[in-house]
Amino acid sequence: MISQAARKYSNQEGPPRLITLLLWGTFGSRTPAERRFIIRSVIGIVVALGWTMIGFVTRFRPVPIMIDVEVLLPGLILTYWAWEWRKYVLTLDELSRHILFEAAAWSSVTASVIAFWLAGVAVIVRWPHYPKLFPKVAVSISLYLFVGLWATIHDFYLRRVSRRYL
Amino acid sequence: MKNELRVLRAKHDMTQAELADRLGVSRQTINAIETEKYDPSLPLAFRIAEVFGLTIEATFFPDKEDGHR
């Protein structure tokens, strides 16, 4: 019988669930560590998107406080997420960690290449047209776009690498 | 890298889950090692050999093709 401790750290009870791979980049094992990571990631996303929505509704008034917070928010949220990700990764066993890191390595290279191409094309076709009122906000939106791009590619690689080993 | 894990488990009447439990890894990791899809780290390979009371050389063997990689 698998002990409680081993079950806790066993991250793959069956093949990875596609939906959790796509949404969270995890193995969908629903271990306590993974649940905690997913819940806290959701909180981070809600705070980031919520603040941005409130900002657009209120037209970032009072300026500059609203915009300053908006610009600092991606860094704050990503730092929080990275801390939670670190704790999650430390609960994974050898193979899972190997899969996660391999997927992350390929994702970093691929996402950087795509992002540079997209950035060049965006300048040529003059997209997106950010409101002139909020030029600073454009920076944080670009960061969110890159994270979204990276996460999508990471899901692809996580699924691909997982299928090779599991 | 080739290994005798499946045979050794059978000799010791041990399931994948039991071996995984003793090593503190997931059953899928043991399965991936047995099917030779994944080469374990050196510390894990030593621990596996230790569970069966063998040396690492008696548990894992170099694949002929490994040298050509």
Side-chain angles (χ1 to χ4, degrees):
Chain A
M1 289 290 288
I2 300 175
S3 73
Q4 201 63 29
R7 198 177 291 282
K8 181 181 175 185
Y9 292 105
S10 173
N11 55 302
Q12 297 151 17
E13 300 291 337
R17 292 184 178 85
L18 179 60
I19 189 70
T20 49
L21 282 182
L22 293 176
L23 281 175
W24 312 112
T26 64
F27 296 99
S29 56
R30 297 181 184 175
T31 57
E34 187 168 301
R35 274 199 299 269
R36 190 167 51 244
F37 171 66
I38 288 176
I39 290 168
R40 293 181 183 182
S41 296
V42 171
I43 292 170
I45 291 168
V46 168
V47 169
L49 292 180
W51 185 267
T52 306
M53 293 303 293
I54 291 169
F56 275 109
V57 169
T58 60
R59 299 183 67 78
F60 292 97
R61 290 196 176 90
V63 181
I65 296 167
M66 285 288 282
I67 286 184
D68 284 351
V69 174
E70 174 69 22
V71 172
L72 289 173
L73 209 55
L76 286 170
I77 297 291
L78 205 60
T79 303
Y80 173 69
W81 180 85
W83 178 251
E84 292 299 330
W85 186 78
R86 176 186 171 275
K87 286 198 285 188
Y88 165 64
V89 167
L90 289 176
T91 67
L92 295 176
D93 80 333
E94 187 176 302
L95 176 59
S96 307
R97 211 179 291 188
H98 174 88
I99 290 171
L100 210 64
F101 285 174
E102 188 178 333
W106 285 114
S107 309
S108 301
V109 174
T110 312
S112 298
V113 169
I114 293 175
F116 272 68
W117 275 105
L118 285 179
V121 172
V123 170
I124 290 170
V125 301
R126 296 170 193 275
W127 182 91
H129 292 284
Y130 293 116
K132 288 180 181 175
L133 264 176
F134 319 122
K136 285 182 181 174
V137 178
V139 176
S140 61
I141 288 176
S142 300
L143 292 171
Y144 288 131
L145 287 175
F146 179 75
V147 169
L149 173 71
W150 191 92
T152 307
I153 294 168
H154 179 64
D155 290 335
F156 165 76
Y157 276 117
L158 193 58
R159 183 166 163 72
R160 191 172 166 178
V161 177
S162 296
R163 286 169 68 93
R164 195 195 311 154
Y165 291 109
L166 303 176
Chain B
M1 192 163 68
K2 299 205 170 291
N3 67 75
E4 292 285 327
L5 216 56
R6 198 181 295 269
V7 175
L8 290 168
R9 262 197 320 103
K11 278 182 186 170
H12 287 77
D13 193 24
M14 198 182 281
T15 65
Q16 283 187 342
E18 285 168 344
L19 180 59
D21 189 16
R22 287 190 64 171
L23 295 166
V25 297
S26 67
R27 188 191 62 75
Q28 281 69 23
T29 298
I30 300 299
N31 186 58
I33 295 170
E34 273 189 15
T35 52
E36 293 167 4
K37 291 178 181 172
Y38 175 67
D39 292 337
S41 68
L42 211 46
L44 180 58
F46 273 113
R47 271 162 43 215
I48 291 170
E50 195 183 325
V51 165
F52 297 114
L54 297 169
T55 60
I56 199 165
E57 303 96 300
T59 315
F60 296 94
F61 315 97
D63 197 333
K64 283 179 183 174
E65 291 177 6
D66 279 356
H68 299 295
R69 281 183 189 171

